[in-house]
């Protein structure tokens, strides 16, 4: 007659401990990845909202002389309360042309920039080939305007491959309404 097994051997308990450690490590890595990519996705939604706000402002500002300042303030102001990254560039370009459209590109100003060249006190022009005065907001052939916001997302945990920054951009194109 066989004796019933009353407990587990110490080898089986050790194996269960190793398996638990491996699975917990895998599950923690999976949770960390979900957290980091979730934060990146949330930030991309914020940047998309900033580009939409900039494009709405661009469409309504049209060819006003202060249009670029209004656009830069609207787009960057949408991201004001967010943390974990920085706006690296905002581009305002003609949206109804093919490749290489005329555009105004700005980056945040740094201390070494010439203060006489700053736009709106906080933005440094990188490219200036589509000033507000050249935008057509009258008649049937009104311009389309695209606002692109480029952003550098800072990874939060700085663990394994989640180190440094991840750059991405979002853009929105809108048609300028007729200027009355």
């Amino acid at each position: 007659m066989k004796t019933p097994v009353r407990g587990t051997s110490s080898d089986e308990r050790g194996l269960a401990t190793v398996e638990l450690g491996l699975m917990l490590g895998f599950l923690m890595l999976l949770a960390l990845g979900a957290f980091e990519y979730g934060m990146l996705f949330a930030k991309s939604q914020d940047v998309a909202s900033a580009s939409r706000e900039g494009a709405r402002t661009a469409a309504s500002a049209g060819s006003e002389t202060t249009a670029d300042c209004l656009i830069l303030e609207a787009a960057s102001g949408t991201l004001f309360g967010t943390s974990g990254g920085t706006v690296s560039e905002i581009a305002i370009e003609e949206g109804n042309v093919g490749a290489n459209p005329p555009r105004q590109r700005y980056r945040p100003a740094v201390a070494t920039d010439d203060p006489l060249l700053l736009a709106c006190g906080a933005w440094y022009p990188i490219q200036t080939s589509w000033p507000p005065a050249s935008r057509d907001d009258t008649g049937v052939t009104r311009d389309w305007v695209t606002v692109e916001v480029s952003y550098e997302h800072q990874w939060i945990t700085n663990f394994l491959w989640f180190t440094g920054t991840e750059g991405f951009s979002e853009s929105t194109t809108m048609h300028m309404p007729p200027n009355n």
Side-chain angles (χ1 to χ4, degrees), residues 47-167:
V47 173
S49 178
S51 76
R52 283 191 303 271
E53 189 61 34
R56 267 192 294 275
T57 303
S60 65
S63 59
E64 288 183 32
T65 56
T66 60
D68 284 2
C69 285
L70 295 171
I71 296 164
L72 293 169
E73 289 171 5
S76 62
T78 304
L79 295 169
F80 179 69
T82 62
S83 61
T86 56
V87 174
S88 57
E89 182 180 311
I90 296 178
I92 306 159
E93 61 188 41
E94 190 172 0
N96 53 335
V97 227
N100 299 319
R103 67 177 58 128
Q104 300 285 100
R105 289 176 48 218
Y106 299 92
R107 66 165 169 76
V110 294
T112 57
D113 290 337
D114 183 355
L116 297 175
L117 296 177
L118 295 183
C120 316
W123 296 91
Y124 188 79
I126 302 170
Q127 180 181 4
T128 57
S129 60
W130 199 45
S134 66
R135 298 174 192 160
D136 182 11
D137 60 351
T138 60
V140 182
T141 59
R142 299 179 319 274
D143 285 331
W144 290 78
V145 62
T146 299
V147 174
E148 180 177 15
V149 178
S150 300
Y151 193 84
E152 290 292 322
H153 172 73
Q154 178 70 43
W155 293 111
I156 296 169
T157 60
N158 286 320
F159 181 70
L160 293 176
W161 53 85
F162 301 114
T163 58
T165 60
E166 182 71 31

